Amino acid sequence: MTPEPARIDAESTASNDAGPTPVVGISTGTGISTVAVAATAEPLKLAVILGSNREGRFGPVVADWFLSRAAERTDFTTDLIDLADTDLPTALSFSPGPEVRAELVKVTSRLATADAFVVLTPEYNHSFPAVIKSLIDWHFGEWQAKPVGFVSYGGISGGLRAVEQLRQVFAELHAVTVRDTVSFPHVGEGFDDEGRPKDPVGCDTAARTMLDRLAWWALALRDAKSVRPYAA
């Protein structure tokens, strides 16, 4: 496996591998007020899925930064689901044994109670890690009618090729993926020795934009499901 270390990019639809220059898509004036959301509803439950279990992974550095951004908001409470702490098999079963059930207990209820998700993914060999696919495939209803955002990292592409494939997977599960992402190209070069982004303005803005979109969709879908249950 060859990891693609990463770009700060709020423009999730532009997968441009033309050069190493970071591309920053900044959207201001999103029309979302975190204060308004917090004042009118219970905080949204955001499950942040750390999707790498590789030895020597860089994911925890990116996750710590992202969680610090989300912690500044009043419209979300966060739950980090680190897939390095799970061992779901790739062979699915309608009648899993006790060992598999013990692994599912670690994650299933947390996915079910979440209002929204952020998948933090590296890019390995033009795609996302198998551990993410295993988590996805062991569940179905837990994803339905909920929004999904992405934080990615890789090489020149910033992990966006992994994100584009994940969009197709989540569409099959009746989940809504938000357009704006955060992506880090050449990720090892994008953070200092203390785990802080070298371009804090760009990535902070991208994270805020993505979380704003996620909050809008999560609140809208939560309200809609309270009136009419979603039927896949």
Side-chain angles (χ1 to χ4, degrees), residues 157-178:
S157 72
L160 290 177
R161 292 175 295 198
V163 169
E164 289 308 306
Q165 293 186 28
L166 280 167
R167 291 187 188 280
Q168 298 178 64
V169 174
F170 277 111
E172 187 67 16
L173 296 166
H174 301 259
V176 179
T177 59
V178 299

Side-chain angles (χ1 to χ4, degrees), residues 51-202:
S52 173
N53 61 355
R54 186 174 184 171
E55 183 179 353
R57 61 186 180 154
F58 199 83
V61 176
V62 182
D64 286 346
W65 164 79
F66 180 74
L67 290 169
S68 72
R69 301 303 91 192
E72 295 178 349
R73 301 177 65 107
T74 58
D75 50 350
F76 286 112
T77 59
T78 58
D79 176 23
L80 176 65
I81 300 175
D82 188 346
L83 297 190
D85 297 332
T86 67
D87 188 23
L88 291 173
T90 56
L92 303 180
S93 172
F94 288 109
S95 301
E99 292 184 358
V100 176
R101 290 183 182 276
E103 295 301 315
L104 289 169
V105 163
K106 298 177 182 179
V107 294
T108 299
S109 62
R110 296 159 72 184
L111 298 177
T113 58
D115 296 303
F117 306 100
V118 167
V119 178
L120 197 157
T121 181
E123 182 176 316
Y124 296 161
N125 301 326
H126 215 101
S127 188
F128 54 91
V131 66
I132 297 179
K133 192 63 163 63
S134 293
L135 176 75
I136 293 171
D137 289 349
W138 273 104
H139 301 89
F140 183 68
E142 290 81 2
W143 308 112
Q144 289 181 3
K146 296 178 183 179
V148 183
F150 300 100
V151 176
S152 66
Y153 58 96
I156 291 175
S157 72
L160 290 177
R161 292 175 295 198
V163 169
E164 289 308 306
Q165 293 186 28
L166 280 167
R167 291 187 188 280
Q168 298 178 64
V169 174
F170 277 111
E172 187 67 16
L173 296 166
H174 301 259
V176 179
T177 59
V178 299
R179 174 184 179 277
D180 298 282
T181 69
V182 184
S183 60
F184 293 91
H186 303 294
V187 68
E189 302 170 10
F191 286 78
D192 63 24
D193 292 339
E194 296 184 3
R196 297 174 301 196
K198 293 180 181 178
D199 176 18
V201 175

